[in-house]
Amino acid sequence: MEKFRQCVIVCVIIAACTCGVRTECESRGRISLLTSIHDDAPCKKLSTKGVLLYEAAKLLAEVHNNKTNTIDIDIAVFDTCGSITGALKAAMKALVSADINCLQAPHYLGIIGPDTSTNAEAVHKVTSVLKIPHIVRKASNAPYLHQLIHESDSYLVQGALKIIEKLKWKSFTLVADVEEESDDDVQNIAKKLTMAAIAKNLCVIVHDADDEEFTSHIVHIGQPDEGFFSKPVNATIIVVSEGNLEEHLSGVNTSNTILLLEDTRDELPGLEGKVERSKWWPEDTNGKYDAEELREVRWLEDAIEVYTKALDSVCKKKKCKSSMNAVDWNNVLANVLAAHNTQSQETSQSLDLSIKSKTSKLENLGSVTVKKNAAKIHWAEEDEDDEQDDAENDDVPEAFEKLISEEKGKRTGCATKEMKMLHEDEQDTTHVLVSEMDDNEWWTMVGTVSGVGVAMFVVGILAVYVVYTNIRGPVPKNKSRIDRDTSLRRAGSDRELPTSGRTARPTRGPQRRDSNRSIRSNISEKSV
């Protein structure tokens, strides 16, 4: 009954908007993108990521139409304003603009988004009546919500840990400068890197923005701010980035050694210019192009590719000239998406590694390949045969070897204590990391903890004694006289002295106690 009511509402609204006129469907396939161009419910605060996705969607459609031999596509972008109400309004606008008579493939392929699972579930309650598929980021049990696996940022973490391992660092300072809109991505990478480093027994010092002191080993997540490289002195800094920072770091004049680890996959040509000149920015101002959000662009590109692959597979069977059954189109899309997800998990990801020594320019050292959380370094001097080999080549470039030799003896900021722990059948060595603690402080701490433990043990024994004494009660005194031996012995002689003429004093028998008093004593003891 609920689905029937929703279907009636949707049909009435769409019929009212189209004025009941049957129009001819377009010859191109339409895709609706529901995303947050604005971040707030009133739709006033522009989102850098939203503008980037808007321009990327238009550019991707143009690129596809220039190289396709089948049906062109058209991508319509609708603003959800970051709320459920905005997402529902955007979905209704998408359905109205597509025409009620043309909501089947190949004329209408489906919807991409909304961004959050909550908004997607709310929109799906409306679009599922019309059997319109969605490609979303989160998994769902809904029949028309299909998950496209989002590219994880774990490859950046694994690549950074591989470089740290090669440099033989035991500790480092983690710097993650965050901005208003890129907080989530940078903080997520920093959190994953911290947890993974601790799991490898590395000491991580999280840098405070108000602190001006740095150690000699630094890992920076994202693009460094201007003036950052003037704060540390003679330090080694690993910069981990999703975007292209070569131009930004090439002109830096610093006394530090910079290792740049970045994702240099090809960007969409012309995307940066379109974003900076987008119509969404206020007049007479250029917008900001955030290269750290390129993973979102790649996810959008994959979603569009899934729709176009499904359309091509249908057209090869000559079924794209007329409208398809909605259930059949949904099944075709699900199969193509499942194959794409499987292939993406098997694909390795690569990061370029470059070095900049003080006033010199960036020099390419090689690349770091990450596949299934396993990282491998390919040096630039390796041959093609070596690159195909699973084992790493030990032919390390001279610049990197020099950097490793200079690392010896530098201040790290963490002290490492080595403690031997005996196990059942073997003897292992466990490294315990204690942040900023020397030997004197270490043994002082051990002595303090031991003293507190002994004191607590003594107090516990006294407490048990007091409780036991109170429960037992007073012990009755024994009033019977003990017979004493009145015989005298000569010191140093075994003979007994002769007894005197006085007779021995007769011993007194035990005194008879009062019967009433004895009964009261017995009753008192039993009651206690």
Side-chain angles (χ1 to χ4, degrees):
M1 187 64 183
E2 182 66 23
K3 289 187 176 181
F4 177 75
R5 187 182 297 109
Q6 292 176 356
C7 182
V8 172
I9 294 174
V10 172
C11 293
V12 169
I13 294 175
I14 296 177
C17 295
T18 56
C19 300
V21 179
R22 181 179 180 87
T23 57
E24 185 178 356
C25 298
E26 296 181 358
S27 60
R28 58 176 57 190
R30 168 167 288 202
I31 301 173
S32 298
L33 171 61
L34 307 184
T35 187
S36 298
I37 301 177
H38 294 84
D39 274 340
D40 56 344
C43 284
K44 294 182 179 180
K45 182 182 178 182
L46 271 177
S47 169
T48 303
K49 183 176 73 173
V51 176
L52 176 65
L53 293 178
Y54 175 88
E55 298 296 341
K58 297 297 183 181
L59 185 57
L60 287 170
E62 181 181 347
V63 171
H64 174 270
N65 294 337
N66 291 334
K67 64 180 182 180
T68 186
N69 295 324
T70 55
I71 298 179
D72 292 347
I73 62 171
D74 178 37
I75 301 179
V77 185
F78 299 93
D79 190 5
T80 62
C81 299
S83 63
I84 296 178
T85 304
L88 290 173
K89 290 181 180 179
M92 297 305 299
K93 291 179 181 179
L95 297 177
V96 170
S97 64
D99 190 355
I100 186 63
N101 299 312
C102 302
L103 291 179
Q104 296 85 22
H107 310 295
Y108 190 75
L109 304 182
I111 298 175
I112 299 176
D115 300 330
T116 64
S117 57
T118 303
N119 294 350
E121 293 287 348
V123 172
H124 178 262
K125 293 180 180 179
V126 177
T127 57
S128 61
V129 178
L130 301 174
K131 300 179 181 179
I132 297 176
H134 290 246
I135 292 181
V136 294
R137 291 173 172 81
K138 302 293 183 180
S140 175
N141 295 326
Y144 296 99
L145 291 182
H146 305 286
Q147 182 196 15
L148 174 62
I149 296 178
H150 192 274
E151 184 181 272
S152 175
D153 50 16
S154 298
Y155 71 103
L156 295 170
V157 175
Q158 297 300 327
L161 289 176
K162 188 64 178 179
I163 300 301
I164 293 173
E165 177 186 351
K166 204 68 177 178
L167 290 172
K168 300 179 181 180
W169 286 2
K170 298 299 181 182
S171 64
F172 61 89
T173 300
L174 180 62
V175 182
D177 293 334
V178 295
E179 298 179 359
E180 294 182 359
E181 296 183 0
S182 60
D183 287 357
D184 294 340
D185 292 338
V186 174
Q187 288 183 354
N188 190 35
I189 296 173
K191 181 180 178 181
K192 288 183 178 180
L193 180 59
T194 302
M195 300 303 295
I198 293 175
K200 291 181 175 292
N201 291 333
L202 298 177
C203 178
V204 181
I205 305 173
V206 180
H207 179 69
D208 189 359
D210 298 331
D211 191 3
E212 297 294 333
E213 295 184 359
F214 293 88
T215 61
S216 60
H217 300 159
I218 302 172
V219 177
H220 192 288
I221 307 297
Q223 179 175 339
D225 295 334
E226 296 181 1
F228 168 76
F229 295 104
S230 62
K231 298 177 183 178
V233 179
N234 296 328
T236 302
I237 304 174
I238 301 176
V239 179
V240 183
S241 173
E242 296 181 70
N244 193 347
L245 297 182
E246 291 184 5
E247 296 181 0
H248 178 74
L249 298 180
S250 295
V252 174
N253 188 5
T254 178
S255 62
N256 305 297
T257 301
I258 302 174
L259 286 172
L260 176 60
L261 188 66
E262 62 175 352
D263 189 344
T264 56
R265 280 178 283 185
D266 294 336
E267 303 176 10
L268 285 174
L271 178 60
E272 183 175 357
K274 285 183 174 294
V275 171
E276 293 177 350
R277 298 186 301 270
S278 177
K279 67 177 184 178
W280 292 100
W281 304 116
E283 296 181 0
D284 301 331
T285 58
N286 289 333
K288 178 184 177 182
Y289 174 76
D290 189 2
E292 299 294 333
E293 298 289 351
L294 288 178
R295 281 192 300 121
E296 299 294 334
V297 175
R298 286 192 284 269
W299 183 87
L300 176 61
E301 184 178 4
D302 291 341
I304 297 173
E305 183 181 354
V306 168
Y307 273 122
T308 55
K309 281 185 176 180
L311 182 61
D312 291 341
S313 65
V314 171
C315 290
K316 287 180 180 179
K317 299 178 182 179
K318 299 181 180 180
K319 294 183 179 180
C320 59
K321 294 182 179 180
S322 59
S323 298
M324 286 185 60
N325 181 274
V327 177
D328 294 340
W329 169 247
N330 189 67
N331 293 334
V332 171
L333 184 64
N335 294 333
V336 174
L337 190 57
H340 185 277
N341 287 336
T342 303
Q343 182 181 1
S344 63
Q345 292 180 344
E346 298 293 333
T347 304
S348 60
Q349 294 164 315
S350 180
L351 298 168
D352 281 2
L353 177 62
S354 304
I355 187 172
K356 185 180 187 304
S357 301
K358 299 181 180 180
T359 57
S360 63
K361 296 182 179 180
L362 278 172
E363 177 186 353
N364 183 27
L365 293 178
S367 62
V368 180
T369 304
V370 181
K371 184 177 182 180
K372 294 183 178 180
N373 293 331
K376 177 184 175 184
I377 300 179
H378 299 277
W379 301 112
E381 298 178 358
E382 289 182 353
D383 297 332
E384 294 182 357
D385 296 337
D386 295 334
E387 292 180 358
Q388 297 176 357
D389 192 5
D390 293 336
E392 289 188 7
N393 193 341
D394 294 332
D395 189 11
V396 182
E398 182 179 354
F400 199 83
E401 283 282 5
K402 182 179 179 182
L403 179 61
I404 295 176
S405 62
E406 292 177 353
E407 289 294 320
K408 297 180 180 179
K410 283 190 176 181
R411 179 174 61 92
T412 61
C414 290
T416 305
K417 296 294 177 183
E418 184 174 299
M419 301 178 63
K420 292 184 178 180
M421 302 179 63
L422 294 178
H423 297 273
E424 295 180 357
D425 299 327
E426 59 183 359
Q427 183 175 359
D428 296 337
T429 302
T430 303
H431 296 277
V432 181
L433 298 178
V434 184
S435 177
E436 298 181 355
M437 182 177 294
D438 56 14
D439 292 338
N440 294 331
E441 293 176 348
W442 167 260
W443 291 113
T444 301
M445 183 188 68
V446 172
T448 303
V449 173
S450 302
V452 172
V454 172
M456 293 180 65
F457 179 74
V458 173
V459 171
I461 293 178
L462 292 177
V464 171
Y465 175 76
V466 171
V467 172
Y468 175 75
T469 304
N470 291 336
I471 294 176
R472 182 181 179 186
V475 180
K477 297 181 179 180
N478 188 6
K479 295 184 179 181
S480 61
R481 297 186 60 181
I482 302 175
D483 295 338
R484 297 181 179 179
D485 186 7
T486 57
S487 61
L488 299 178
R489 296 180 181 273
R490 181 179 299 175
S493 176
D494 294 336
R495 295 181 304 170
E496 295 184 357
L497 293 175
T499 58
S500 60
R502 292 181 298 178
T503 59
R505 189 175 181 179
T507 59
R508 299 176 60 183
Q511 295 182 356
R512 184 177 181 181
R513 295 182 179 180
D514 188 6
S515 60
N516 294 332
R517 184 176 180 182
S518 177
I519 293 173
R520 286 196 302 270
S521 177
N522 292 335
I523 294 174
S524 176
E525 290 179 358
K526 291 181 179 180
S527 63
V528 172

